[in-house]
Amino acid sequence: MNRPKVAAIQMTSGTGVAANLAEAERLIRAAAADGAGLVVLPENFALMSKGADEQLALREADGAGPLQSFLARVAAQARVWLVGGTIPLAATDPGRVRAACLVFDDRGRRVARYDKIHLFDVHVPGADEHYQESAAIEPGEAVVVIDSPWGRLGIAVCYDLRFPELFRRMQERGLEVLALPAAFTATTGKAHWETLVRARAIENLAFVVAAAQGGVHPNARETFGHSMVVDPWGQVLAQRPCGSGFAASELDREFQGAVRRNFPALEHRRLKCGP
């Protein structure tokens, strides 16, 4: 496993759940056939909704539901570790959902759950775009880093990318590979996506597998795409500019080890964020 292959799936999900799941399965199987053993789906892969009501209608109880069964089945059948983008799971607030990213191993067993911590409540500068995710989503609290065949695997989602203290907390737990489902807007993506993805890779000397939505959606939202795999030196190893498909690359674990030994920036930290 010194040079395992990973894939970041890119989709232009719509409002038809069945069609979105069919496309997700097609792309997962294609990435597996290309040799990927770790596959990351984008945020909201099953539904790019027009409003909070659609998310509420699709929500599932933790541990049981069609979307969870879909992810488990496809992971097992394709024999991949699958980072399942985000799906709406029940929250403590009955009027909202959790944007949950579930990870399944290659036997279809769930091995992790991460709930999106940072919610996109913004008015995009210079654009007539306003978002308030907190109206429909309840934020998570827990940082997630797990053991995997690719090393210590951390999970974050979209807007989380802008908060480096989250990834420092992951680094304290041994972060080596970051899976990042996302749905960056066209405006913010053009301005910041690649810069932020590469920065998180560089400052943590980690691989980043960033899976994005990319295209114009039926809800009139336009997402940036440019799903990518980035190495610990900040080099973009593979990228999918727009449309459905995937970006796949091998991860050179020996290179990562050499960089961390010879450029030990993680050991040179003098300040820490938070308690």
Side-chain angles (χ1 to χ4, degrees):
M1 294 294 290
N2 283 335
R3 298 184 69 92
K5 198 168 191 178
V6 301
I9 299 292
Q10 184 160 291
M11 298 176 62
T12 310
S13 297
T15 55
V17 175
N20 294 333
L21 296 186
E23 178 67 354
E25 181 167 356
R26 182 185 74 83
L27 292 170
I28 293 165
R29 291 184 180 277
D34 191 54
L38 172 66
V39 178
V40 182
L41 285 168
E43 185 178 23
N44 298 326
F45 74 94
L47 175 70
M48 285 291 281
S49 63
K50 294 181 179 179
D53 289 347
E54 290 176 299
Q55 290 285 337
L56 287 171
L58 196 63
R59 69 182 166 187
E60 298 178 358
D62 185 29
L67 297 180
Q68 294 168 83
S69 296
F70 166 83
L71 292 169
R73 175 183 63 80
V74 177
Q77 291 179 351
R79 302 295 293 174
V80 297
W81 276 57
L82 182 60
V83 179
T86 58
I87 63 172
L89 294 187
T92 56
D93 179 349
R96 296 191 289 174
V97 301
R98 290 289 183 111
C101 180
L102 307 180
V103 183
F104 293 84
D105 70 12
D106 58 1
R107 295 176 62 183
R109 300 173 300 188
R110 194 173 103 177
V111 293
R113 170 181 170 175
Y114 168 73
D115 292 353
K116 185 178 182 179
I117 291 175
H118 300 95
L119 302 182
F120 194 50
D121 289 0
V122 304
H123 190 119
V124 179
D128 185 22
E129 296 180 60
H130 179 76
Y131 302 90
Q132 190 177 4
E133 283 190 332
S134 64
I137 298 173
E138 181 180 82
E141 306 88 15
V143 177
V144 174
V145 182
I146 63 169
D147 288 325
S148 82
W150 297 269
R152 294 286 287 167
L153 177 67
I155 312 295
V157 174
C158 202
Y159 192 49
D160 286 334
L161 190 59
R162 295 181 181 271
F163 301 90
E165 62 273 17
L166 170 62
F167 304 96
R168 284 310 198 200
R169 188 64 58 86
M170 288 185 182
Q171 189 54 244
E172 292 170 359
R173 300 181 185 189
L175 176 69
E176 294 174 306
V177 181
L178 172 67
L180 182 82
F184 259 59
T185 72
T187 303
T188 58
K190 182 178 180 181
H192 301 143
W193 169 252
E194 183 172 329
T195 299
L196 289 168
V197 172
R198 294 178 68 192
R200 299 296 86 86
I202 292 165
E203 68 195 11
N204 294 292
L205 298 178
F207 291 100
V208 180
V209 188
Q213 293 278 352
V216 179
H217 306 266
N219 63 1
R221 179 173 174 178
E222 183 178 0
T223 49
F224 184 64
H226 292 78
S227 298
M228 62 180 71
V229 181
V230 179
D231 78 7
W233 199 241
Q235 300 176 95
V236 178
L237 302 177
Q239 185 176 119
R240 176 82 182 186
C242 61
S244 291
F246 59 88
S249 177
E250 293 181 341
L251 305 186
D252 189 339
R253 297 296 308 284
E254 291 183 356
F255 170 75
Q256 181 178 35
V259 169
R260 288 187 168 195
R261 287 191 303 273
N262 297 317
F263 197 86
L266 296 173
E267 299 173 16
H268 297 160
R269 293 174 61 206
R270 299 289 297 278
L271 304 175
K272 292 189 176 182
C273 297

